[in-house]
Amino acid sequence: MTVNVLNLINGTWCASRTGRTLSRENPARATEVVSLAPISDASDIDAAVKAAVAAYPAWKLVPAPRRGLMIAEAGRILSTRKEEIATLMTREMGKPIAEARGDVQEAIDTALLVAAQGRFLGGETVPCELPNKFGMSLRQPVGPCGLVTPWNFPVAIPSWKIFPALVCGNTVVLKPSELTPACAAEFVKALVEAGIPSGVVNMVCGLGEEAGAALVAHPGIRAVSFTGSTTTGSLIGETCGRLNRKVSLEMGGKNAQIVMEDADLDLAVEGALWGAFGTTGQRCTATSRLILHASIHDAFMSKFLDRVKKLVVGDGLDANVHVAPLVSAEQRDRVASYVEIAVKEGAKLALGGHVLSSGAYANGYFFEPTVFTGVTRTMRIAREEVFGPVIAAIKVSSFDEAVSVHNDTDFGLSSSIYTRDVNRAFTAIRDLEAGITYVNGPTIGAEVQLPFGGVKGTGNGHREAGMQVYEFYTEWKSVYIDHSGRLQRAQIDT
Ligand code: UN1
């Protein structure tokens, strides 16, 4: 069954003014069209931003606890439709059904957390230096926000942005990935049904270079939040820099799992399997480097390769499948080209490395789970984000070398160390350059109540989730109330 996706502008579901549509195929069976969505242009974006601008004055006056109640209701609606949306997600972007359920669950968790903040969007009160004077700070909304989201977490990532934006009193225009418009529409429908007024949430489908670029640069937009590739993020950052526009960028990763000589090897193998091949490696938190202490390198690798060989590759709707297809033919070819590069640079292909295209794989974008050993820190396979089921193992001979290899990357999202030595664990927490560090757990699977984001080339210093996300979706106002009845001069009258 093909889903016909429409744009949502000012409370009305409508086609693009261009009349153009894009069809999205099931990555496990490319002959099946999952969704048809508008390819919108700058005029559609303009209409949506105007709706968001018009709806803003009334929405920001709705008491935050009431905005929170609507978000809680959206979370409830999502939980009643979890299975239906998860199935659509697996069909539209491929991830295994259990992971698709997890994606929807992450949005439900976010709704619960954010809804409560409607009653707790606090500021501070501080003593003033002058008598009979009161000082406080308040959070205020930023204004209409432009949100550009990726296909790999097609419900969870929009929820990280839209729920906090709304609870703070902002209105939004969402431009979801052209690969997952139907998932985005399901999420937005839950908001509409929860009673969010017309114009407060708008969605415009289309391509990044057309609809996305128009949204980011539109004069009505006050803040832009983007999750996706480093190339696109940097362009968005440049545009917003020129326009003095608030911008939150969440981009690539080259996350590593360190395994020290004292680690529980079976546990570390489990972690690496999940971290590297969960979501077919298409998470920005995916484990794409393994940093192994020389004394356990061979023992680890032999256990690891045994387990990788047993991974079942197939259609994510089959509950027995561990590794689903890549999202698109383009992504599959990109992964294949990285395998070639790694081989040319002298990495040893220990397992996998090929496109799967025969039998049950004939119509899908499947790729073998792939393991490289003998990788050095200068190879491109150790430095560039692949976003696929490929892991590169680097051998080190000490903890200090492990940390140094770990940090020798332009990125800094997630990191992991397997060790039973508490001193090393705490030193790693301090010294690994990353926004997230796991001890004895894989690099993927962040929970929504802690800040999410990275250092160095991964982002531009903002965080999503947790309590930190409100720094992005609000502006601070400082307020001074002088109840002395006379002019008092700060810094002068003592
Ligand atoms: C992403 O890949 O962009 O921590 C997000 C995780 C998930 C979110 C990943 N909760 O792996």
Side-chain angles (χ1 to χ4, degrees):
M1 201 198 53
T2 304
V3 182
N4 277 307
V5 180
L6 294 168
N7 291 335
L8 178 68
I9 298 178
N10 204 21
T12 304
W13 294 96
C14 52
S16 160
R17 293 164 190 214
T18 66
R20 288 181 289 152
T21 56
L22 188 72
S23 76
R24 170 63 185 149
E25 71 281 13
N26 181 336
R29 273 188 311 276
T31 46
E32 175 190 327
V33 175
V34 178
S35 57
L36 267 179
I39 304 182
S40 311
D41 68 3
S43 71
D44 300 303
I45 288 288
D46 185 55
V49 175
K50 283 186 174 139
V53 169
Y56 176 57
W59 179 244
K60 74 173 182 188
L61 295 182
V62 173
R66 244 197 271 164
R67 295 193 295 249
L69 282 177
M70 291 181 212
I71 290 164
E73 176 61 8
R76 192 195 62 76
I77 294 169
L78 288 173
S79 61
T80 64
R81 298 208 188 128
K82 183 171 165 180
E83 198 58 30
E84 187 192 323
I85 300 175
T87 305
L88 175 67
M89 189 183 297
T90 297
R91 289 175 59 228
E92 193 172 43
M93 63 68 69
K95 70 169 75 173
I97 185 70
E99 294 188 38
R101 290 184 192 117
D103 192 314
V104 182
Q105 187 59 46
E106 196 159 339
I108 297 166
D109 297 343
T110 303
L112 289 173
L113 183 69
V114 171
Q117 288 311 309
R119 295 186 184 271
F120 216 77
L121 278 173
E124 49 193 351
T125 60
V126 292
C128 279
E129 66 188 46
L130 293 161
N132 296 318
K133 192 178 169 196
F134 184 86
M136 64 181 168
S137 62
L138 306 175
R139 286 186 187 278
Q140 298 202 310
V142 185
C145 299
L147 312 175
V148 181
T149 55
W151 47 264
N152 67 334
F153 276 81
V155 169
I157 292 180
S159 86
W160 293 358
K161 300 184 193 300
I162 294 180
F163 288 146
L166 294 182
V167 85
C168 295
N170 305 289
T171 55
V172 306
V173 177
L174 170 69
K175 204 300 277 175
S177 164
E178 66 275 17
L179 299 178
T180 49
C183 289
E186 284 306 310
F187 177 69
V188 168
K189 266 187 223 163
L191 289 162
V192 172
E193 284 172 38
I196 305 283
S198 293
V200 171
V201 175
N202 304 275
M203 179 180 88
V204 180
C205 299
L207 307 174
E209 56 272 27
E210 193 176 11
L215 176 60
V216 166
H218 195 290
I221 290 295
R222 301 297 297 272
V224 172
S225 178
F226 168 79
T227 301
S229 75
T230 304
T231 319
T232 305
S234 302
L235 285 173
I236 291 177
E238 277 175 30
T239 304
C240 292
R242 228 180 13 253
L243 297 171
N244 295 323
R245 189 162 293 174
K246 207 168 180 183
V247 59
S248 167
L249 303 173
E250 172 56 46
M251 304 177 285
K254 191 70 197 173
N255 316 294
Q257 174 179 319
I258 299 172
V259 185
M260 293 309 299
E261 71 274 33
D262 65 332
D264 176 336
L265 283 196
D266 292 316
L267 187 66
V269 164
E270 291 291 334
L273 273 178
W274 176 229
F277 303 116
T279 326
T280 321
Q282 301 170 113
R283 294 197 192 203
C284 46
T285 51
T287 311
S288 63
R289 295 180 296 157
L290 265 174
I291 301 173
L292 304 175
H293 191 276
S295 65
I296 50 85
H297 178 280
D298 294 354
F300 177 93
M301 245 330 137
S302 118
K303 282 173 189 275
F304 184 59
L305 293 176
D306 273 353
R307 291 296 305 276
V308 178
K309 278 180 207 152
K310 294 191 184 113
L311 291 174
V312 179
V313 180
D315 183 341
L317 285 180
D318 176 348
N320 299 314
V321 159
H322 303 113
V323 182
L326 288 153
V327 74
S328 63
E330 190 191 5
Q331 197 59 28
R332 177 201 57 200
D333 296 346
R334 180 186 150 88
V335 171
S337 78
Y338 267 107
V339 169
E340 250 177 65
I341 292 167
V343 169
K344 265 198 208 123
E345 286 187 324
K348 181 172 175 291
L349 183 58
L351 199 67
H354 304 102
V355 169
L356 290 164
S357 56
S358 60
Y361 301 128
N363 291 318
Y365 309 133
F366 295 96
F367 201 89
E368 290 176 333
T370 299
V371 181
F372 280 104
T373 54
V375 174
T376 63
R377 55 162 98 192
T378 55
M379 290 179 185
R380 286 180 64 190
I381 198 71
R383 309 196 71 83
E384 296 174 24
E385 185 174 51
V386 178
F387 230 61
V390 179
I391 190 158
I394 305 169
K395 198 191 275 188
V396 294
S397 50
S398 67
F399 173 75
D400 288 347
E401 190 186 352
V403 172
S404 152
V405 168
H406 173 278
N407 291 344
D408 192 358
T409 161
D410 295 335
F411 301 108
L413 181 55
S414 188
S415 57
S416 154
I417 181 164
Y418 281 75
T419 179
R420 286 186 272 213
D421 178 338
V422 69
N423 294 350
R424 271 182 181 161
F426 273 88
T427 307
I429 291 167
R430 186 191 62 196
D431 293 345
L432 296 179
E433 293 172 356
I436 304 170
T437 293
Y438 290 89
V439 177
N440 296 327
T443 61
I444 67 174
E447 300 181 24
V448 301
Q449 63 275 30
L450 284 178
F452 183 91
V455 303
K456 303 199 290 193
T458 288
N460 66 337
H462 291 284
R463 291 291 182 272
E464 301 198 275
M467 291 303 296
Q468 288 69 13
V469 68
Y470 303 104
E471 295 305 318
F472 185 73
Y473 290 107
T474 56
E475 297 280 9
W476 283 109
K477 170 166 285 190
S478 298
V479 181
Y480 299 95
I481 301 153
D482 192 322
H483 52 102
S484 69
R486 58 196 169 88
L487 172 68
Q488 300 197 90
R489 297 173 303 172
Q491 293 91 36
I492 294 169
D493 298 335
T494 50

